[in-house]
Amino acid sequence: MKSLPFCVFLCLFVALVPCLPAEKVETLRLEPAANMTRAELHHVATVPNPKAVLVLCPGCNGSGEGLIRSPKWIAFAKQNRLGLVGLSFASPMPAIHDGSGYYYASKGAGEKLLEGIRKIYGSDLPLLLYGFSGGAHFTSRFEEWNPARVLAWCAYSAGWWDEPQQNPISPPGIVACGDEDPRYGATLIYFKQGRAVGKPWQWVSLAKTGHQGSPELDAFVREYFSEIFSQSKAMPVWTDIDRKEKVLASEQSAQPSLTGWLPSEILFAEWRKLNAP
């Protein structure tokens, strides 16, 4: 009997293998705060008794449900014993622009997230936050409003920012933007303002990238969060964000706005490849 060509055999094999069930997404609906029209948290059961919660925050008035369905984010959460939540908050556009909408965590949206985390997981767990566009607005303002709850964060591309304050607690973070995104200038200024007051932040400029998601940045954020969450005894690294070289601690003190912070040497090579000033 003549054997089947390998490509035909492979197609038949794939067709006969049952599809793996998708992770079940559940939704917690909360009473919206003032100037909010929706306050929902989508979540996936990752591990029992997680040590912290990763919150993925989509663009303006978006739903984080699609973000937490990502196999890569689910695998990352399981590997690091994290809960996984997708933010789904919304506000009228006038409220978003006048400083009263959900972008402004201190006006009620931040408390809604904390309330939801408590209801889902039964305790006040620490957070890792990653937000894009509208999600970057919320992420940056949440970590400024309640830094004690945040282990680390990444804010990727926003059109305007609040000026960073010199707080006693300042969780490490990444500020990122695509170099073809009109929000680039405002985002870089925000990063420099934060570094000028001593925030342990890192800058990432994405080459040939507009206002869009970035799988490469996602991968780097996962590595960064892993290093933070592992609480390893690795020595942090200071970098020159333009020359993409390591600098001494004394150099960053002299010109803080030109430098960035990484939690360990392990991340330096990846950051150097990703950052394109």
Side-chain angles (χ1 to χ4, degrees), residues 95-269:
I96 282 175
H97 288 284
D98 71 14
S100 63
Y102 84 93
Y103 281 15
Y104 296 83
S106 63
K107 302 297 178 66
E111 287 289 357
K112 286 297 161 182
L113 174 59
L114 297 181
E115 176 189 343
I117 295 296
R118 196 175 305 118
K119 288 182 175 180
I120 294 168
Y121 298 102
S123 63
D124 294 322
L125 294 171
L127 306 177
L128 297 162
L129 299 171
Y130 181 19
F132 167 63
S133 191
H137 279 276
F138 177 81
T139 293
S140 63
R141 293 184 177 94
F142 185 98
E143 75 86 17
E144 188 82 30
W145 167 69
N146 196 341
R149 283 296 295 275
V150 180
L151 293 175
W153 56 277
C154 175
Y156 172 30
S157 179
W160 68 94
W161 308 78
D162 293 344
E163 186 171 346
Q165 302 302 305
Q166 192 169 19
N167 299 327
I169 300 173
S170 188
I174 299 169
V175 181
C177 197
D179 65 0
E180 295 178 358
D181 189 332
R183 298 153 186 81
Y184 189 90
T187 304
L188 180 57
I189 289 171
Y190 173 70
F191 168 80
K192 287 178 175 288
Q193 289 174 331
R195 287 291 304 118
V197 294
K199 306 274 192 180
W201 293 359
Q202 184 56 270
W203 170 249
V204 175
S205 173
L206 300 167
K208 300 179 181 177
T209 303
H211 194 61
Q212 62 199 61
S214 169
E216 295 80 14
L217 180 62
D218 290 354
F220 181 73
V221 169
R222 284 191 286 268
E223 291 186 51
Y224 182 93
F225 284 172
S226 290
E227 283 300 298
I228 295 290
F229 193 65
S230 69
Q231 296 182 335
S232 69
K233 304 210 182 278
M235 291 293 293
V237 173
W238 291 101
T239 66
D240 183 303
I241 61 171
D242 292 324
R243 292 185 290 123
K244 302 200 298 184
E245 297 175 356
K246 298 174 194 174
V247 297
L248 299 174
S250 57
E251 293 179 77
Q252 70 83 22
S253 297
Q255 293 184 303
S257 63
L258 301 180
T259 60
W261 181 91
L262 290 171
S264 78
E265 178 91 28
I266 293 171
L267 296 167
F268 178 72

Side-chain angles (χ1 to χ4, degrees), residues 9-19:
F9 171 78
L10 183 61
C11 290
L12 289 171
F13 176 77
V14 170
L16 291 172
V17 173
C19 293

